[in-house]
Amino acid sequence: MANGEPWVDARLRAAWASEDWAAIFREYRRAARVSQLTLGSLVGMPQSHVSLIENRKRRVTSADVITRIAEGLQVPDELRGLQERRESLSASGALTLN
């Protein structure tokens, strides 16, 4: 799979849909065949943070960081919409997260 086409990968798309940041990072790296260092440069964070996120020792909770990740990894608009709708519903109280 070419570096420009990682989002055709079903496992990566499933990780995005589940908002599992460790899996998103791992699956993106696998699909795009990039290192943690390269992934970090794409999303604007040091390799050490990528490692901590992949190993579930650091969480992604900031909307700004999520936006930076989505932009850096060039997440397709149809997938970004899933998260934006959830955030909108959650803010309005129409969506309850357990």
Side-chain angles (χ1 to χ4, degrees):
M1 186 173 309
N3 281 359
E5 303 173 359
W7 291 101
V8 299
D9 185 84
R11 287 170 32 191
L12 177 55
R13 292 174 77 91
W16 182 264
S18 69
E19 299 180 28
D20 180 345
W21 297 104
I24 291 166
F25 277 17
R26 278 193 309 274
E27 293 301 333
Y28 185 91
R29 289 194 321 102
R30 180 191 55 77
R33 295 184 176 142
V34 298
S35 66
Q36 287 182 344
L37 186 62
T38 299
L39 178 65
S41 70
L42 291 173
V43 300
M45 65 177 62
Q47 175 276 328
S48 60
H49 290 191
V50 172
S51 178
L52 290 169
I53 291 166
E54 282 190 10
N55 289 297
R56 301 184 190 282
K57 294 180 180 175
R58 185 178 187 122
R59 295 172 32 144
V60 176
T61 57
S62 163
D64 291 338
V65 173
I66 292 168
T67 299
R68 197 170 70 222
I69 291 169
E71 290 172 357
L73 300 184
Q74 298 179 347
V75 177
D77 290 340
E78 72 268 14
L79 295 179
R80 285 189 198 201
L82 291 172
Q83 191 163 47
E84 289 167 1
R85 283 192 297 276
R86 283 188 190 135
E87 289 172 3
S88 175
L89 289 171
S90 180
S92 71
L95 177 67
T96 307
L97 300 175
N98 295 327

